[in-house]
Amino acid sequence: MPKRGSKRVKKRTHADSAQDEPPAELSGQPIPRSMIVRAPKTKLPHLLQILQMELRKVMSPNTALELRERKFNVLKDYTHVAQLLKVTHLLLLSPGGKRPKAEAKATGAKAGSAEAKEGVATMGAGALLKVGRLPQGPTLTLRIVKYSLCRQVRATQKRTFDVSTLYDTAPLVVLNNFGAADATGGEATPAHVKLMRITFQNMFPPLDVAAVRLAECRRVVLFNYDKDKQVVEMRHYAIRANPVAMSRPVKRVMLTSGAKALPDLGEYDDISDWLLGKVAADEASDSEGEDEANHVVLPQKMRGKGNAASMTSAVKLHELGPRVTLKLFKVERGFCEGDVMYHSIEQRTAQEVAVQRQAKKEAEDLKQARREEQEGNVARKKEVEDEKRAKKRARKEAWEAAKEAKEREGGEGGGSEESQSGEDSQASESASDGASDEE
């Protein structure tokens, strides 16, 4: 343990608090924080529990990853804790109810679909995902049409890539087809689609292009909106960079660590024979054979060997999972309450909305009147109880006063009797003494 003078200082447990804060928090920009929990009074199946934990990893590190829930937790518990922890978004996952017939048919990957061609197992789900902005809303209710877990995505890959350090920094967010208007100059995007774009964008920390560090850009979350099916496809990728313009043997020496980094040169007279020989010439680099569109000159040093500043590297995306297909179901103005701004099934006219608002207002007024009446009844009962207690206390005090007076009178009467008996005894003694003298 290091010492400062004669006093020991703990470096790990007594580090500066400013070092623990993220850079965006120090610059004054608010960091979006989230909590992903199950909806109150519900029980998630096993696969949805796995999906819940994987969604927490996607939102890491600005989410409650190890949050433990209890059966009796209600929505107020989460909102109260969210205010203390400065949580901005609350995601509620529930198994949902009965799905519409149009959505119930899509229970898995159809033949000829992209998932079926890639071999990724998909599961149909009637689950609901509520994304609420704290503390005043709005709240988006999304139906999970289908999803694939991380293990199902990794099962289709030849080389898996999943490092725990990927989740130390927040991911980048990419939104596709959420524009304000079509590229062809068509109709503008509906309001509920714009709201989805704003909600998904504000769930992740903002990106400052001038101050961003490439070493922290490790992951990316993609949200793609399909206008025809009106669904949102979510994908989760890891960002990898590999240096280009080098042969496979040189890359193996640079990127491999340990004893395997040194090649066996027993068959060669010089190392140049190994580098420039026919075998090395035939083994072209993977990056050189790819499209040059993903070749970039790195302005900063990036994670990975050989990715130094001013070097050309090929940027690749490696899918981590999970895959989730979402469909907007309902939009509420408040947090899990309020007017319904959008509904995918029920379309109501302005008159019906006005009637609904009036009925809701009457119900709230009736509830308020009942609450006031109940409070009045409680206050009246409390006054009666207080009056009874005051009367009982007065009776008790009167009884105690009467008892003390009686005891006092009894004490005075006993003293007079004792003095009278003393005088009588003295008179009798004097009489007896006089009689003895006469004798």
Side-chain angles (χ1 to χ4, degrees):
M1 184 179 297
K3 292 185 177 181
R4 182 182 301 169
S6 61
K7 186 178 180 180
R8 296 185 300 176
V9 179
K10 294 182 179 180
K11 292 295 184 181
R12 290 188 301 172
T13 58
H14 290 72
D16 188 6
S17 59
Q19 297 178 0
D20 301 335
E21 296 292 336
E25 191 77 16
L26 295 176
S27 61
Q29 299 179 0
I31 295 295
R33 294 180 173 87
S34 60
M35 290 173 57
I36 304 176
V37 298
R38 61 171 178 81
K41 300 180 181 180
T42 58
K43 184 177 181 180
L44 296 179
H46 178 64
L47 295 178
L48 283 181
Q49 292 180 6
I50 299 176
L51 179 63
Q52 178 187 7
M53 297 304 300
E54 293 180 353
L55 289 178
R56 289 181 180 180
K57 292 185 66 177
V58 172
M59 303 293 292
S60 295
N62 300 318
T63 189
L65 188 61
E66 301 295 336
L67 180 63
R68 295 183 180 181
E69 307 160 74
R70 298 182 179 180
K71 295 181 179 180
F72 52 82
N73 286 134
V74 295
L75 191 60
K76 288 184 179 180
D77 298 335
Y78 298 125
T79 55
H80 179 68
V81 174
Q83 293 178 359
L84 301 177
L85 300 179
K86 298 181 181 180
V87 176
T88 58
H89 292 81
L90 183 63
L91 282 72
L92 301 172
L93 190 63
S94 62
K98 195 173 181 180
R99 289 184 294 167
K101 294 182 179 180
E103 297 180 3
K105 295 180 180 179
T107 56
K110 298 181 180 180
S113 62
E115 291 84 359
K117 292 180 180 179
E118 295 178 4
V120 179
T122 59
M123 292 168 287
L128 297 177
L129 178 64
K130 285 193 174 185
V131 182
R133 172 76 179 188
L134 293 170
Q136 298 179 354
T139 303
L140 276 66
T141 302
L142 302 158
R143 187 180 296 278
I144 300 178
V145 180
K146 54 185 177 180
Y147 64 93
S148 300
L149 302 177
C150 294
R151 64 188 184 188
Q152 296 169 338
V153 175
R154 288 195 298 267
T156 62
Q157 298 173 351
K158 294 182 179 179
R159 296 180 180 179
T160 59
F161 178 77
D162 192 1
V163 184
S164 60
T165 56
L166 290 174
Y167 305 97
D168 294 341
T169 56
L172 307 178
V173 58
V174 177
L175 303 173
N176 188 33
N177 292 336
F178 287 92
D182 296 338
T184 57
E187 297 181 358
T189 306
H192 64 276
V193 179
K194 293 182 181 179
L195 185 59
M196 279 196 298
R197 174 178 60 83
I198 295 172
T199 302
F200 292 147
Q201 185 176 3
N202 292 335
M203 286 170 56
F204 299 91
L207 179 64
D208 189 358
V209 181
V212 67
R213 291 185 293 180
L214 294 182
E216 297 180 354
C217 300
R218 306 294 305 278
R219 296 180 294 131
V220 60
V221 179
L222 171 64
F223 292 96
N224 179 51
Y225 179 68
D226 190 344
K227 297 180 181 179
D228 298 332
K229 298 180 181 180
Q230 296 184 355
V231 296
V232 178
E233 301 283 348
M234 193 200 80
R235 299 289 186 270
H236 184 212
Y237 299 95
I239 302 176
R240 302 183 65 183
N242 296 324
V244 298
M246 64 176 61
S247 61
R248 188 188 298 269
V250 176
K251 184 184 295 185
R252 190 179 71 180
V253 173
M254 292 187 62
L255 303 183
T256 308
S257 60
K260 296 182 179 180
L262 298 177
D264 185 9
L265 302 178
E267 301 178 358
Y268 302 95
D269 297 334
D270 189 34
I271 191 172
S272 60
D273 297 338
W274 179 72
L275 292 174
L276 303 176
K278 182 178 179 179
V279 178
D282 293 338
E283 295 178 355
S285 173
D286 293 338
S287 299
E288 292 178 352
E290 296 176 355
D291 188 8
E292 296 184 357
N294 59 349
H295 293 183
V296 295
V297 178
L298 300 178
Q300 302 175 9
K301 185 181 183 304
M302 199 170 179
R303 292 290 184 95
K305 294 184 178 180
N307 298 321
S310 303
M311 295 292 293
T312 302
S313 299
V315 180
K316 299 180 181 179
L317 296 180
H318 191 96
E319 187 171 4
L320 300 174
R323 295 182 179 182
V324 185
T325 302
L326 304 170
K327 186 173 183 180
L328 185 62
F329 179 69
K330 183 173 62 173
V331 178
E332 296 172 288
R333 190 178 300 276
F335 180 71
C336 296
E337 62 180 2
D339 299 338
V340 178
M341 304 170 59
Y342 170 80
H343 202 286
S344 61
I345 300 177
E346 298 182 4
Q347 302 294 335
R348 298 183 179 181
T349 61
Q351 184 177 1
E352 293 176 348
V353 172
V355 171
Q356 183 184 12
R357 289 181 179 176
Q358 182 65 23
K360 186 175 182 180
K361 185 176 181 301
E362 292 177 356
E364 291 178 354
D365 295 342
L366 180 60
K367 185 177 181 180
Q368 182 66 22
R370 288 179 177 176
R371 185 182 295 110
E372 293 177 355
E373 182 181 359
Q374 183 67 17
E375 291 176 355
N377 294 336
V378 171
R380 181 174 52 81
K381 291 179 181 180
K382 187 176 181 181
E383 291 178 359
V384 173
E385 292 293 335
D386 294 342
E387 186 178 355
K388 288 182 179 179
R389 291 194 187 97
K391 291 181 179 180
K392 186 176 180 180
R393 191 181 303 111
R395 289 197 303 267
K396 186 176 181 180
E397 292 176 355
W399 179 80
E400 291 178 352
K403 183 178 179 181
E404 291 178 357
K406 186 176 181 181
E407 292 177 353
R408 194 180 304 113
E409 293 176 357
E412 293 177 354
S416 61
E417 291 177 357
E418 290 178 357
S419 61
Q420 183 67 28
S421 62
E423 293 177 356
D424 294 342
S425 62
Q426 290 178 359
S428 62
E429 289 178 358
S430 59
S432 61
D433 293 340
S436 61
D437 291 341
E438 289 177 357
E439 292 175 359

Coordinates of all heavy atoms in Angstrom, one line a residue, residues 56-109:
R56 N -29.8 -5.5 -21.1 CA -29.0 -4.8 -20.1 C -27.6 -4.6 -20.6 O -26.9 -3.6 -20.4 CB -29.1 -5.4 -18.8 CG -30.5 -5.3 -18.1 CD -30.4 -6.0 -16.7 NE -31.7 -5.9 -16.1 CZ -32.0 -6.4 -14.9 NH1 -31.0 -7.0 -14.2 NH2 -33.2 -6.2 -14.3
K57 N -27.0 -5.7 -21.2 CA -25.6 -5.6 -21.6 C -25.5 -4.7 -22.8 O -24.5 -4.0 -23.0 CB -25.1 -7.0 -22.0 CG -25.0 -8.0 -20.9 CD -24.4 -9.3 -21.3 CE -23.0 -9.1 -21.8 NZ -22.3 -10.4 -22.2
V58 N -26.5 -4.7 -23.7 CA -26.5 -3.7 -24.8 C -26.5 -2.3 -24.3 O -25.8 -1.4 -24.8 CB -27.7 -4.0 -25.7 CG1 -27.8 -2.9 -26.8 CG2 -27.7 -5.3 -26.4
M59 N -27.2 -2.0 -23.2 CA -27.3 -0.6 -22.7 C -26.1 -0.3 -21.7 O -26.1 0.8 -21.2 CB -28.6 -0.4 -22.0 CG -29.9 -0.7 -22.8 SD -30.0 0.5 -24.1 CE -30.4 2.0 -23.2
S60 N -25.3 -1.3 -21.5 CA -24.1 -1.0 -20.6 C -23.2 0.1 -21.1 O -23.1 0.3 -22.3 CB -23.3 -2.3 -20.4 OG -24.1 -3.3 -19.7
P61 N -22.5 0.8 -20.2 CA -22.5 0.7 -18.8 C -23.4 1.6 -18.0 O -23.4 1.6 -16.8 CB -21.0 1.1 -18.5 CG -20.7 2.1 -19.5 CD -21.5 1.7 -20.7
N62 N -24.3 2.3 -18.8 CA -25.2 3.3 -18.1 C -26.5 2.6 -17.8 O -27.6 3.2 -18.1 CB -25.4 4.5 -19.0 CG -24.0 5.2 -19.3 OD1 -23.2 5.4 -18.4 ND2 -23.8 5.6 -20.6
T63 N -26.5 1.5 -17.3 CA -27.8 0.8 -16.9 C -27.5 0.0 -15.6 O -26.4 -0.3 -15.3 CB -28.3 -0.1 -18.0 OG1 -29.6 -0.6 -17.7 CG2 -27.3 -1.3 -18.2
A64 N -28.6 -0.4 -15.0 CA -28.5 -1.2 -13.7 C -28.4 -2.7 -14.2 O -29.3 -3.4 -14.4 CB -29.7 -1.0 -12.9
L65 N -27.1 -3.1 -14.3 CA -26.8 -4.5 -14.9 C -27.2 -5.6 -13.9 O -27.7 -6.6 -14.2 CB -25.4 -4.6 -15.3 CG -25.0 -5.8 -16.1 CD1 -25.8 -5.9 -17.4 CD2 -23.5 -5.8 -16.3
E66 N -26.9 -5.4 -12.6 CA -27.1 -6.4 -11.6 C -28.3 -6.1 -10.7 O -28.4 -6.5 -9.5 CB -25.9 -6.5 -10.7 CG -24.6 -6.8 -11.4 CD -24.6 -8.2 -12.0 OE1 -25.4 -9.1 -11.5 OE2 -23.9 -8.5 -13.0
L67 N -29.3 -5.4 -11.3 CA -30.5 -5.1 -10.5 C -31.3 -6.4 -10.2 O -31.6 -7.2 -11.1 CB -31.4 -4.1 -11.3 CG -32.7 -3.7 -10.7 CD1 -32.4 -2.9 -9.4 CD2 -33.5 -2.8 -11.6
R68 N -31.7 -6.5 -8.9 CA -32.5 -7.6 -8.5 C -33.9 -7.2 -8.2 O -34.1 -6.2 -7.5 CB -31.9 -8.3 -7.3 CG -30.5 -8.9 -7.5 CD -30.0 -9.6 -6.3 NE -28.7 -10.2 -6.5 CZ -28.0 -10.9 -5.6 NH1 -28.5 -11.0 -4.4 NH2 -26.8 -11.4 -5.9
E69 N -34.9 -7.9 -8.8 CA -36.3 -7.5 -8.6 C -37.0 -8.5 -7.7 O -36.5 -9.6 -7.5 CB -37.0 -7.6 -10.0 CG -36.3 -6.7 -11.0 CD -36.7 -7.1 -12.4 OE1 -37.8 -6.8 -12.8 OE2 -35.9 -7.8 -13.1
R70 N -38.0 -8.0 -7.0 CA -38.8 -8.8 -6.1 C -40.2 -8.9 -6.6 O -40.7 -8.1 -7.4 CB -38.8 -8.3 -4.7 CG -37.4 -8.2 -4.1 CD -37.4 -7.7 -2.7 NE -36.0 -7.7 -2.1 CZ -35.8 -7.3 -0.9 NH1 -36.7 -6.9 -0.1 NH2 -34.5 -7.3 -0.5
K71 N -40.9 -9.9 -6.1 CA -42.3 -10.2 -6.6 C -43.2 -9.0 -6.3 O -44.2 -8.7 -7.0 CB -42.8 -11.5 -6.1 CG -42.1 -12.7 -6.5 CD -42.7 -14.0 -6.0 CE -41.9 -15.2 -6.4 NZ -42.5 -16.4 -5.9
F72 N -43.0 -8.4 -5.1 CA -44.0 -7.4 -4.6 C -43.6 -6.0 -5.0 O -44.2 -5.0 -4.6 CB -44.1 -7.5 -3.1 CG -42.8 -7.4 -2.4 CD1 -42.1 -6.2 -2.1 CD2 -42.2 -8.6 -1.9 CE1 -40.9 -6.2 -1.5 CE2 -41.0 -8.6 -1.3 CZ -40.4 -7.4 -1.0
N73 N -42.6 -5.8 -5.9 CA -42.2 -4.5 -6.4 C -43.3 -3.9 -7.3 O -43.9 -4.7 -8.1 CB -40.9 -4.5 -7.2 CG -39.7 -4.7 -6.3 OD1 -38.8 -5.5 -6.5 ND2 -39.6 -3.9 -5.2
V74 N -43.6 -2.7 -7.1 CA -44.6 -2.0 -7.9 C -43.9 -0.9 -8.7 O -42.7 -0.6 -8.5 CB -45.8 -1.4 -7.1 CG1 -46.5 -2.5 -6.4 CG2 -45.2 -0.5 -6.0
L75 N -44.7 -0.2 -9.6 CA -44.1 0.8 -10.4 C -43.6 2.0 -9.6 O -42.5 2.6 -10.0 CB -45.1 1.3 -11.4 CG -44.6 2.2 -12.6 CD1 -43.6 1.4 -13.4 CD2 -45.8 2.6 -13.5
K76 N -44.2 2.3 -8.5 CA -43.7 3.4 -7.7 C -42.4 3.2 -7.1 O -41.6 4.1 -6.9 CB -44.7 3.7 -6.6 CG -46.0 4.4 -7.1 CD -46.9 4.7 -5.9 CE -48.2 5.4 -6.4 NZ -49.1 5.7 -5.3
D77 N -42.0 1.9 -6.8 CA -40.7 1.6 -6.3 C -39.6 1.9 -7.3 O -38.6 2.5 -7.0 CB -40.6 0.1 -5.9 CG -41.7 -0.3 -4.9 OD1 -42.0 0.6 -4.1 OD2 -42.0 -1.4 -4.8
Y78 N -39.9 1.6 -8.6 CA -38.9 1.9 -9.6 C -38.7 3.4 -9.9 O -37.6 3.9 -10.0 CB -39.2 1.1 -10.9 CG -39.3 -0.4 -10.7 CD1 -40.4 -1.1 -11.1 CD2 -38.2 -1.1 -10.3 CE1 -40.4 -2.5 -11.0 CE2 -38.2 -2.4 -10.1 CZ -39.3 -3.1 -10.5 OH -39.3 -4.5 -10.3
T79 N -39.9 4.1 -9.9 CA -39.8 5.5 -10.2 C -39.1 6.3 -9.0 O -38.4 7.2 -9.3 CB -41.2 6.1 -10.4 OG1 -42.1 5.7 -9.3 CG2 -41.8 5.5 -11.6
H80 N -39.3 5.8 -7.8 CA -38.7 6.5 -6.6 C -37.2 6.3 -6.7 O -36.4 7.2 -6.5 CB -39.3 5.9 -5.3 CG -38.7 6.5 -4.1 ND1 -38.8 7.9 -3.8 CD2 -37.8 6.0 -3.2 CE1 -38.2 8.1 -2.6 NE2 -37.5 7.0 -2.3
V81 N -36.8 5.0 -7.0 CA -35.3 4.7 -7.0 C -34.7 5.4 -8.3 O -33.6 5.9 -8.2 CB -35.1 3.2 -7.1 CG1 -33.6 2.9 -7.3 CG2 -35.6 2.6 -5.8
A82 N -35.5 5.5 -9.3 CA -35.0 6.2 -10.5 C -34.6 7.7 -10.3 O -33.7 8.2 -10.8 CB -36.0 6.0 -11.7
Q83 N -35.4 8.3 -9.5 CA -35.2 9.7 -9.2 C -33.9 9.9 -8.4 O -33.1 10.8 -8.6 CB -36.3 10.3 -8.4 CG -37.6 10.5 -9.2 CD -38.8 11.0 -8.4 OE1 -38.6 11.3 -7.2 NE2 -39.9 11.2 -9.0
L84 N -33.6 8.9 -7.5 CA -32.4 9.0 -6.7 C -31.1 8.7 -7.5 O -30.1 9.3 -7.3 CB -32.5 8.0 -5.5 CG -33.6 8.3 -4.5 CD1 -33.6 7.2 -3.5 CD2 -33.6 9.6 -3.9
L85 N -31.3 7.8 -8.5 CA -30.1 7.4 -9.3 C -30.0 8.2 -10.6 O -29.2 7.8 -11.4 CB -30.2 5.9 -9.6 CG -30.3 5.0 -8.4 CD1 -30.4 3.5 -8.8 CD2 -29.0 5.1 -7.6
K86 N -30.9 9.2 -10.8 CA -30.9 10.0 -12.0 C -31.1 9.2 -13.3 O -30.4 9.4 -14.3 CB -29.6 10.8 -12.1 CG -29.3 11.7 -11.0 CD -28.0 12.5 -11.2 CE -27.7 13.4 -10.1 NZ -26.5 14.2 -10.2
V87 N -32.0 8.2 -13.2 CA -32.4 7.4 -14.3 C -33.3 8.2 -15.2 O -34.3 8.8 -14.8 CB -33.0 6.1 -13.9 CG1 -33.5 5.2 -15.0 CG2 -32.0 5.3 -13.0
T88 N -33.1 8.1 -16.5 CA -33.9 8.9 -17.5 C -34.9 8.0 -18.2 O -35.9 8.5 -18.7 CB -33.0 9.6 -18.5 OG1 -32.2 8.6 -19.2 CG2 -32.0 10.6 -17.8
H89 N -34.6 6.7 -18.4 CA -35.5 5.9 -19.1 C -35.7 4.6 -18.3 O -34.8 4.0 -17.8 CB -34.9 5.5 -20.5 CG -34.8 6.7 -21.5 ND1 -33.8 7.6 -21.4 CD2 -35.6 7.0 -22.5 CE1 -34.0 8.5 -22.4 NE2 -35.1 8.2 -23.0
L90 N -37.0 4.2 -18.3 CA -37.4 2.9 -17.7 C -38.0 2.0 -18.7 O -39.0 2.4 -19.3 CB -38.3 3.2 -16.5 CG -38.8 2.0 -15.7 CD1 -37.6 1.4 -15.0 CD2 -39.9 2.4 -14.7
L91 N -37.4 0.8 -18.9 CA -37.9 -0.2 -19.8 C -38.5 -1.3 -19.1 O -37.9 -2.0 -18.2 CB -36.7 -0.7 -20.7 CG -36.2 0.2 -21.8 CD1 -35.5 1.4 -21.3 CD2 -35.4 -0.6 -22.8
L92 N -39.8 -1.5 -19.4 CA -40.6 -2.6 -18.7 C -40.9 -3.7 -19.7 O -41.4 -3.5 -20.8 CB -41.9 -2.0 -18.2 CG -41.8 -0.8 -17.2 CD1 -43.2 -0.2 -16.9 CD2 -41.2 -1.3 -15.9
L93 N -40.5 -4.9 -19.3 CA -40.6 -6.1 -20.2 C -41.7 -7.0 -19.6 O -41.6 -7.3 -18.4 CB -39.3 -6.8 -20.3 CG -39.2 -7.9 -21.4 CD1 -39.5 -7.4 -22.7 CD2 -37.9 -8.6 -21.3
S94 N -42.7 -7.3 -20.3 CA -43.8 -8.1 -19.9 C -44.1 -9.2 -20.9 O -43.9 -9.0 -22.1 CB -45.0 -7.3 -19.6 OG -45.5 -6.7 -20.8
P95 N -44.6 -10.4 -20.5 CA -44.9 -11.4 -21.4 C -46.1 -11.1 -22.4 O -46.2 -11.6 -23.4 CB -45.3 -12.6 -20.5 CG -45.7 -12.0 -19.2 CD -44.9 -10.8 -19.1
G96 N -46.9 -10.1 -22.0 CA -48.0 -9.6 -22.9 C -49.1 -10.6 -22.9 O -49.1 -11.6 -22.2
G97 N -50.2 -10.2 -23.6 CA -51.4 -11.0 -23.7 C -51.5 -11.6 -25.0 O -50.6 -12.0 -25.7
K98 N -52.8 -11.7 -25.5 CA -53.1 -12.4 -26.7 C -52.8 -11.4 -27.9 O -53.2 -10.2 -27.8 CB -54.5 -12.8 -26.8 CG -54.9 -13.7 -27.9 CD -56.3 -14.2 -27.8 CE -56.6 -15.2 -28.8 NZ -58.0 -15.7 -28.7
R99 N -52.0 -11.9 -28.9 CA -51.6 -11.0 -30.0 C -52.7 -11.0 -31.0 O -53.5 -11.9 -31.2 CB -50.3 -11.5 -30.6 CG -49.1 -11.4 -29.7 CD -47.9 -11.8 -30.5 NE -47.9 -13.3 -30.7 CZ -47.1 -13.9 -31.5 NH1 -46.2 -13.3 -32.2 NH2 -47.2 -15.2 -31.7
P100 N -52.7 -9.9 -31.8 CA -53.6 -9.9 -33.0 C -53.3 -11.0 -34.0 O -52.2 -11.5 -34.0 CB -53.3 -8.5 -33.6 CG -52.7 -7.7 -32.5 CD -52.0 -8.6 -31.7
K101 N -54.3 -11.4 -34.8 CA -54.1 -12.5 -35.7 C -53.1 -12.2 -36.7 O -52.3 -13.1 -37.1 CB -55.5 -12.8 -36.4 CG -56.5 -13.3 -35.4 CD -57.8 -13.6 -36.2 CE -58.9 -14.2 -35.2 NZ -60.1 -14.5 -36.0
A102 N -53.0 -10.9 -37.1 CA -52.0 -10.6 -38.1 C -50.5 -10.8 -37.6 O -49.6 -11.2 -38.4 CB -52.2 -9.2 -38.6
E103 N -50.3 -10.6 -36.3 CA -49.0 -10.7 -35.8 C -48.8 -12.1 -35.2 O -47.6 -12.6 -35.1 CB -48.8 -9.7 -34.6 CG -48.9 -8.3 -35.1 CD -48.6 -7.3 -34.0 OE1 -48.4 -7.8 -32.8 OE2 -48.7 -6.1 -34.2
A104 N -49.8 -12.8 -34.9 CA -49.7 -14.2 -34.4 C -49.1 -15.2 -35.4 O -48.6 -16.2 -35.1 CB -51.0 -14.7 -33.8
K105 N -49.3 -14.9 -36.7 CA -48.8 -15.8 -37.7 C -47.3 -15.8 -37.8 O -46.7 -16.8 -38.2 CB -49.4 -15.4 -39.1 CG -50.9 -15.5 -39.2 CD -51.4 -15.1 -40.5 CE -53.0 -15.3 -40.6 NZ -53.5 -14.8 -41.9
A106 N -46.7 -14.6 -37.5 CA -45.2 -14.5 -37.6 C -44.6 -15.0 -36.3 O -44.2 -14.2 -35.4 CB -44.8 -13.1 -37.9
T107 N -44.6 -16.3 -36.2 CA -44.0 -16.9 -34.9 C -42.6 -17.4 -35.1 O -42.0 -17.9 -34.2 CB -44.9 -18.1 -34.5 OG1 -45.0 -19.0 -35.6 CG2 -46.3 -17.6 -34.1
G108 N -42.0 -17.2 -36.2 CA -40.6 -17.6 -36.4 C -40.1 -17.2 -37.7 O -40.7 -16.4 -38.4
A109 N -38.9 -17.7 -38.1 CA -38.3 -17.3 -39.4 C -39.0 -18.1 -40.5 O -39.0 -19.3 -40.5 CB -36.8 -17.6 -39.3

